[in-house]
Amino acid sequence: MIDLGSLEAAAGNAAFVMALRGRGLRDTAVLRAMEQVPREAFAPSQHREHARRDIALPLACGASMTAPSTVALMLALLRVGPGQRVLEIGTGSGYVTALLARLGASAVLSLERSVTLAVEATRRLAALPEAHVVRADGLAPELPDGGFDRILVHGSVEAIPPHWRAALEPGGRLVTGLSGDGLCRAAVLASPEAEAERGAPVRLAALVPGLARVL
């Protein structure tokens, strides 16, 4: 279980957050959350010394922790507000799940198809009652009950699947990566019926269908 209330850990993140500001990331709420949630607490022990660098870090099962600048960009686009219900596709280490909770989400349902990663993330997030990790494949059409105000996808797709749109509340917001023309760009879906708006290039792995289903 991670102690997310450690003042010492938060103070140690100050330089890390200032470096992100130096890269042009200005969302105050997101940067404050990243200062309060220590990335090193979620990184594998063998890579923990690199947790405050702006690089992706390898996880088990071929997964990775997304680079902090990409995380900050996507969270800024997501615009999470207090009391919102969030669906996260791709728990990974649980780091971004904790950031979503810190940003005020009343509930974060995080789907992870790897048993190993789901178990480890559940352990790390035990102190956050808002966070709930479920072993599931986010590309499978059998998603949990809809009604999500925000959906965050850690990966890229060629087109937004219909069941993601169906899970989004009217006036909700979905952020993912959209591939095309040899680039992956951060994309925002501002409502279930809208066209996705492509933004800045980002480094996100392509999502591929898995065997896991909601258990």
Side-chain angles (χ1 to χ4, degrees):
M1 184 173 67
I2 303 300
D3 178 10
L4 298 179
S6 169
L7 294 177
E8 182 179 351
N13 269 343
F16 167 68
V17 170
M18 287 301 293
L20 292 176
R21 286 183 61 88
R23 291 179 175 269
L25 299 162
R26 293 288 187 267
D27 190 296
T28 303
V30 171
L31 292 175
R32 184 182 301 116
M34 295 182 82
E35 184 174 354
Q36 293 171 341
V37 179
R39 189 176 185 235
E40 61 270 22
F42 294 83
S45 57
Q46 65 269 35
H47 303 297
R48 201 160 290 158
E49 63 182 299
H50 303 298
R52 290 178 184 168
R53 297 176 59 192
D54 189 22
I55 57 174
L57 296 177
L59 298 172
C61 308
S64 63
M65 294 181 74
T66 304
S69 58
T70 300
V71 170
L73 170 64
M74 296 185 75
L75 288 176
L77 292 173
L78 195 64
R79 300 179 188 172
V80 176
Q84 291 178 336
R85 188 170 183 235
V86 181
L87 174 66
E88 179 186 29
I89 296 178
T91 311
S93 69
Y95 173 60
V96 181
T97 318
L99 291 173
L100 290 167
R102 183 66 73 176
L103 285 166
S106 61
V108 183
L109 177 61
S110 188
L111 309 185
E112 174 53 60
R113 69 182 189 179
S114 162
V115 177
T116 300
L117 294 179
V119 169
E120 285 298 305
T122 298
R123 178 184 60 80
R124 294 188 185 105
L125 296 166
L128 293 176
E130 309 94 327
H132 181 52
V133 179
V134 173
R135 187 192 170 209
D137 178 6
L139 284 176
E142 303 91 352
L143 281 181
D145 291 340
F148 295 99
D149 304 295
R150 297 290 187 269
I151 299 177
L152 178 62
V153 183
H154 298 295
S156 68
V157 290
E158 294 182 358
I160 295 175
H163 60 285
W164 290 1
R165 292 177 179 270
L168 191 63
E169 279 283 296
R173 197 169 179 86
L174 180 151
V175 174
T176 186
L178 278 184
S179 56
D181 301 324
L183 282 177
C184 174
R185 294 183 179 275
V188 176
L189 187 70
S191 70
E193 302 82 15
E195 290 295 321
E197 299 179 6
R198 297 173 185 257
V202 289
R203 291 187 176 182
L204 291 170
L207 294 182
V208 294
L211 299 177
R213 295 293 186 267
V214 177
L215 298 182

